[in-house]
Amino acid sequence: MLRTHTCGELRLSNKNQIITLSGWVQKTRNLGGMTFIDLRDRFGITQLAFNLDWDKTLCEKARTLGREFVLQITGEVIERESKNLTNPTGEIEIKVTQLTILNSASTPPFTIEDETDGGDELRMKYRYLDLRRTVVRKNLELRHRMAIETRNYLDKQQFLEVETPVLIKSTPEGARDFVVPSRMNQGQFYALPQSPQTFKQLLMVSGFDRYYQIVKCFRDEDLRADRQPEFTQIDCEMSFVEQEDILQTFEGLTKHLFKTVKGIDISTLPRMTYSDAMKFYGNDKPDTRFEMKLVDIKHLTIGKNFKVFDDAELVVAICAKGAAEYTRKQLDELTEWVKRPQIGATGLVYARVNVDGTIKSSVDKFYSEEDLKKWAIACNATAGDLILILAGKEDKTRKAMSELRLEMGTKLGLRDKNNYSSLWVVDFPLLEWNEGDPNLPESLRGRWVAKHHPFTSPKPEDIELLKTNPGAVRANAYDIVINGVEVGGGSIRIYNKDLQALMFETLGFTKEEAQHQFGFLMNAFEFGAPPHGGIAFGFDRLCSLFGGAESIRDFIAFPKNNSGRDMMIDAPSLINDEQLNELSISLKS
Amino acid sequence: MLRTHTCGELRLSNKNQIITLSGWVQKTRNLGGMTFIDLRDRFGITQLAFNLDWDKTLCEKARTLGREFVLQITGEVIERESKNLTNPTGEIEIKVTQLTILNSASTPPFTIEDETDGGDELRMKYRYLDLRRTVVRKNLELRHRMAIETRNYLDKQQFLEVETPVLIKSTPEGARDFVVPSRMNQGQFYALPQSPQTFKQLLMVSGFDRYYQIVKCFRDEDLRADRQPEFTQIDCEMSFVEQEDILQTFEGLTKHLFKTVKGIDISTLPRMTYSDAMKFYGNDKPDTRFEMKLVDIKHLTIGKNFKVFDDAELVVAICAKGAAEYTRKQLDELTEWVKRPQIGATGLVYARVNVDGTIKSSVDKFYSEEDLKKWAIACNATAGDLILILAGKEDKTRKAMSELRLEMGTKLGLRDKNNYSSLWVVDFPLLEWNEGDPNLPESLRGRWVAKHHPFTSPKPEDIELLKTNPGAVRANAYDIVINGVEVGGGSIRIYNKDLQALMFETLGFTKEEAQHQFGFLMNAFEFGAPPHGGIAFGFDRLCSLFGGAESIRDFIAFPKNNSGRDMMIDAPSLINDEQLNELSISLKS
């Protein structure tokens, strides 16, 4: 090794030892006849000391070193005169006797500091320099730790990690599949998996009993800020289980991760039905770090000639505790905020519960203080609270109120990143009506689609409804939600061939289509499929949540930008005609 | 859970307990009024007992169950009358009181037994049934254990697992790249990585210090029996190291795996130079489970008017210990064997050292017993040994002799799969002359190519030779070889921009080509690259070696066949015009 110790290792107990370090120049300071260099590696920073009096040549050489030069130094560990107790190595420094420049460095295009002066584009292009910043590297160290602890837990629970193939089969419904032309089978294509769903179910048919994999998945879709064309899942499946077993097992994983990675003991995860989540939070992934539940007050508002409320399908309120002192200006801003197209409300009604108990609202013309008191009671609002009300179409208004609730939570400081609130959302509907996703082929619009996926089992007591009222059928499906982020979801699967056929029929597949696309799975079900179910966690998002960050991008070593482009290596790119010819494909002009 | 215990768990100590098991019907036997069922899951087999006298209906139901039916049973653990001590659960059986058929099963197309009656094609098509066979599942359990122990070791050595991207950039030299058309960047393609080489080097530039990843890699090439288009590597890289550090660290990993997975203590790995490996074994991955080294005897054969030897560049012998009793028929067969096109020798000369010390050869016409004795001494052959000799062009003959040596090792039982012999092969040549691989584009034929890859560092003392005698330059490159299989290889990398430029020049790249293809890596070297090096292990092959198997296929859950085809899901396959249109590509007819 080109070192005896790392830059994070030396302490006062190493005093007088002759050591060798290697690392990067973080910073150089000249103080009179002395020069100090902060030498950095992954493990920390150690101060190097040079003195014109000790060794003039060496000290002058040290003064020529630029930022990010790579050095190997040998010297003696000495006690610092002015100690820096915020740095674990801050009690010592190295009196350098030998200095080798292992590599020089051009000046980086941005500073390698926690707070850098580099913009997003520049940092993406020079990602290898951005990764030198301690804050970014710590994210990836966290990710490593999360993966190790995930494997430790699942291994102890007798899960087997099995690698499923990356080159699989495209399905006509796989509009978002990346495809891969085959040279050996010309004119034919592999697809990259959007998830290993069918393979993990086949492993259950194989009797593998408990499977997991931390696995890359792929989706060729227009990217939102927080999506990547390749992403990583913790993918799991278990046999001979019921929903309760899956919830217990993966609640265990969640607790294990919080305990070992964050040092946090979390208690039993509450469970909320999908319909309660929609009713009380307007959202199937409620942020339960704070209360502020949605309250339907339509029945308290009718018949007072306020047309907006009278005409509305839904009148819904939240109570912002302690926000009665919001100024007119602040309330106007909130009104503007809810009227933005992303939220889409037509207006905002408020009612203040003053300290003296009186209530003042923006609709005093229509409602008496007596009326308003009823609202306050319904919303559990007391002196000092602010009631905010939206009205309109049911779905849209509930969704808008969910956004407003989150916004108020943020404004009132109720969404601390270091405070974690986790829960299970259960009893999802099996199906949802698809009006016509413009991304889907024509033939697939206006029909029932699987909310989770077509292998999800309906609740046994709801199977009868499949033929009469598909929208009312509940699934044995569940999501795990932390701080308003869906970090994982799964279901108990159908393992009976007839029920699977009925499901495909409900989804509008002909027998031939079902056989063509999922034949190998349905055939497998002929040979003794066990009851089984599973879950998949979005690993990138789980890591960013544990890291207290909003975006997943800094928890991925080499992420792509919003156009699916790797700015550093400049991919995707053109390929030459020879390659196209070999693959027997050509570009359309 | 649909069970209280697994089928591998119950012992005599559980006697009288009421338990529930779930699993598959392995076998049914009727003995008079009794019926016995072997119930199987991943964890083992437990015998179920039914009796017409105990419960007629239940026993009759049990008699209707076919192979591979999925059952849930409840009953009492009782002591067996005739114990089967070869099965861990063989002292007990279950007196069944409740039986639920969880799923029925059609008769499988082959028997689910260790020795199956299914052919390769059938088993590939019904891979999910093949995976039910204990021998196949054990291979994948071994693979899981290997991965866990690899991570344990590397984690303790402070390596960070970092995921590198799967959607990367194609290079013109990447004739074997799988490419992926991008929908968002029409006309442009990603490539799937043949290895994460440049990314791991960039991580070193980033100061990650120690990186590893168990990672899928891809190569679109004509497949030999033991190659797969997607394969898995243990990929590693370290900073501030010299070759010795890498060898020590990964010798440590190898020892750890043998110890924890196989319970075998292996001693320090010997090291052999590439030139010694070629000289003594005719092979850069020598099988050192047995000696039988190649001995050059040209100087002992000349001037005796045997034209074949006199004209040969190389006359090379091996000594097959104790094989003097080989019959004429066996020797004729060996001669036919070496003359097969795959081996390509023109003939085989032998000399027997008889028990009485006399020597008899197939070239007695030309050589006296005195001559032959000199051969015997050179080959270290004593009474009872057989000397085998090939002659011809240097490279081809050495290669043929290597094959013959392995064949004789096999015939003489010297290649026991449970006996492991590991070593490092070091000092590989940096470059090799490529006459014109027909797979390479025209412009790349007849030139020096990197033996390892273009980032491999020459030995500092040989750098001067790069300009004058490139073929003589040795690399800081090394392979780890176990039982004649190259399980891993790596090198110390170039980290100096000028040396990297000289290397590209030697390889015939123009500056522009080098910049276009590897610009992001060469640019990265401008900003302070540390000395670094690494290694990659072929994980599929390592697992098959630990599993004592010849082929990697049964250590991969869902392998592809020799045409790169997944027989189970029938991929690759045609995709529809809509998908092609979306990607702006078309098929050439």
Side-chain angles (χ1 to χ4, degrees), chain A residues 485-544:
Chain A
V485 176
E486 178 211 322
V487 295
S491 65
I492 298 297
R493 323 302 181 185
I494 297 169
Y495 64 99
N496 176 286
K497 212 187 161 226
D498 297 333
L499 182 56
Q500 187 67 66
L502 174 60
M503 182 68 178
F504 282 133
E505 192 188 318
T506 309
L507 295 172
F509 286 81
T510 66
K511 270 189 187 152
E512 291 67 34
E513 284 168 346
Q515 183 61 34
H516 180 69
Q517 288 178 45
F518 302 107
F520 56 97
L521 185 62
M522 292 177 69
N523 290 346
F525 281 5
E526 294 219 34
F527 295 103
H532 62 288
I535 195 168
F537 288 79
F539 189 56
D540 307 300
R541 201 169 303 272
L542 192 65
C543 290
S544 75

Side-chain angles (χ1 to χ4, degrees), chain B residues 310-371:
Chain B
D310 285 351
D311 291 352
E313 258 178 40
L314 177 74
V315 180
V316 65
I318 53 172
C319 168
K321 286 275 164 203
E325 288 176 13
Y326 258 45
T327 62
R328 181 62 196 236
K329 181 154 173 284
Q330 284 175 301
L331 289 164
D332 285 348
E333 279 167 8
L334 266 189
T335 306
E336 287 314 304
W337 190 89
V338 299
K339 285 163 90 172
R340 296 184 314 156
Q342 301 95 308
I343 311 297
T346 48
L348 176 67
V349 169
Y350 65 85
R352 281 200 184 93
V353 186
N354 296 316
V355 182
D356 61 7
T358 60
I359 308 187
K360 184 90 188 112
S361 86
S362 54
V363 287
D364 282 354
K365 250 193 284 183
F366 304 99
Y367 298 99
S368 67
E369 184 140 358
E370 214 51 43
D371 294 329

Side-chain angles (χ1 to χ4, degrees), chain A residues 28-36 47 50-52 59 63 82:
Chain A
T28 309
R29 274 157 301 143
N30 297 325
L31 283 175
M34 293 204 70
T35 292
F36 298 98
Q47 179 165 297
F50 301 84
N51 193 320
L52 287 172
C59 189
R63 288 180 174 194
S82 60

Side-chain angles (χ1 to χ4, degrees), chain A residues 38 65 97 121 139 147 176 193 215 260 270 314 367 422 433 481 554 563 567 577:
Chain A
D38 282 351
L65 303 172
T97 53
E121 289 277 301
N139 292 342
R176 294 297 158 265
V215 60
T260 54
L314 177 74
Y367 297 98
S422 315
W433 184 252
V481 174
D554 273 345
S563 317
M567 305 283 287
D577 290 342

Side-chain angles (χ1 to χ4, degrees), chain A residues 28 94 127 139 147 199 221 229 259 278 300 302 304 348 369 427 501 530 536 543 552 556 570 582:
Chain A
T28 309
I94 311 300
R127 182 65 172 175
N139 292 342
F199 290 98
E221 64 185 348
K259 182 69 184 171
M278 295 310 290
L300 302 176
I302 44 177
K304 304 286 176 169
L348 176 67
E369 184 139 358
D427 295 356
C543 290
I552 61 173
I556 296 170
D570 193 26
E582 280 241 335

